[in-house]
Amino acid sequence: MSSDPDQEYFSDGMMEEILDRLFKIGDLKVISRTSSMHYKNSDKPIKEIARELRVANIIEGSVRRVGNMVRIAVQLIDAGTDAHLWSEIYNGDLSDLSRIFHIQSEVAQSVARELKAAISPEEKRRIEKIPTTDLEVYEKYLKARSYISDYSRESLYKAIEYLNSAIEKKPDWAPLYAGLAEIWIWIQQEGWEEPSVAGTKIVENLNKAMEL
């Protein structure tokens, strides 16, 4: 909902990060980002979306960013009754990235509580983990993720540029290498690079991500 259309990557990134934390809760069945993104800005009724996705509940939200200030509004809806089970508005300042990650964690845990889903101590630790405190690196990571989701040749190579640039500044952050491995898998599958080249990139980046 930012007044700057170039900030769309940020709102999409926030949604993906919240989904990632929900995925970590084994007691929940969460539909993938690829499927849920089809309903971005959709005017379909909640019940119809839920029926198509075969889910009982829908998480609906918005992200507004002005400069470094961010407002995230989230609500959990029972698709069968269209009743609101839970809603919250969060405000954060990107100069304190830990606050943004705390919001993502709080959303996931609040949804789990409302749906009576158990969270193990290990899942809680993973959900609350702060991945980075470097805003520049995080911005590049989110931009790369937005390009990856486009799946075109040009976009995938643009994502590689952003991830490599982030690695120059933070070479010890595993998600950057995991992202590169994912990109090279797509490039190989589409036949845009020889398997001997792409395969090596996939293995190298996966090993580095696992090592970190």
Side-chain angles (χ1 to χ4, degrees):
M1 296 176 66
S2 171
S3 57
D4 180 1
D6 291 336
Q7 289 296 319
E8 187 172 11
Y9 78 91
F10 182 82
S11 58
D12 287 352
M14 288 298 99
M15 184 203 73
E16 187 169 1
E17 294 282 277
I18 289 171
L19 274 178
D20 181 63
R21 281 156 177 77
L22 288 168
F23 287 140
K24 290 178 169 65
I25 302 173
D27 219 18
L28 290 177
K29 176 190 174 185
V30 183
I31 299 301
S32 72
R33 177 191 189 278
T34 304
S35 296
S36 58
M37 276 297 286
H38 286 301
Y39 300 95
K40 179 180 176 181
N41 300 324
S42 173
D43 56 2
K44 284 188 176 183
I46 290 292
K47 287 186 178 181
E48 186 176 340
I49 293 174
R51 185 171 60 252
E52 291 176 3
L53 290 175
R54 298 182 180 179
V55 296
N57 303 280
I58 295 284
I59 299 174
E60 190 175 62
S62 63
V63 178
R64 184 187 299 274
R65 177 179 179 181
V66 179
N68 269 5
M69 300 307 297
V70 178
R71 170 166 287 192
I72 301 175
V74 191
Q75 52 190 353
L76 179 66
I77 303 167
D78 182 322
T81 63
D82 209 23
H84 286 67
L85 302 175
W86 166 82
S87 64
E88 191 63 74
I89 295 176
Y90 300 92
N91 293 294
D93 186 340
L94 288 173
S95 60
D96 179 11
L97 261 185
S98 61
R99 169 62 181 159
I100 302 300
F101 295 128
H102 175 76
I103 291 172
Q104 295 167 0
S105 169
E106 178 59 29
V107 170
Q109 294 188 63
S110 295
V111 168
R113 280 194 298 272
E114 291 299 325
L115 298 179
K116 305 295 188 292
I119 302 178
S120 70
E122 174 60 21
E123 288 171 345
K124 191 174 192 305
R125 185 191 67 79
R126 292 170 63 199
I127 290 170
E128 293 179 346
K129 183 178 180 181
I130 296 176
T132 181
T133 56
D134 191 313
L135 178 56
E136 182 183 350
V137 169
Y138 190 59
E139 291 261 23
K140 288 178 179 178
Y141 173 70
L142 292 184
K143 285 180 179 178
R145 296 301 317 173
S146 71
Y147 277 107
I148 291 173
S149 65
D150 187 46
Y151 301 120
S152 70
R153 181 173 185 170
E154 182 182 355
S155 292
L156 290 176
Y157 280 99
K158 189 70 176 177
I160 289 175
E161 290 179 20
Y162 274 113
L163 290 176
N164 282 333
S165 177
I167 286 171
E168 288 179 8
K169 189 167 186 187
K170 191 172 178 59
D172 61 346
W173 193 28
L176 300 176
Y177 299 95
L180 284 174
E182 180 183 351
I183 293 169
W184 283 106
I185 288 172
W186 282 107
I187 290 174
Q188 177 170 291
Q189 287 181 341
E190 294 297 330
W192 293 327
E193 189 58 82
E194 290 296 321
S196 59
V197 175
T200 300
K201 298 279 191 181
I202 294 166
V203 173
E204 285 178 352
N205 285 293
L206 279 177
N207 285 340
K208 185 65 175 178
M210 293 298 291
E211 175 191 329
L212 292 169

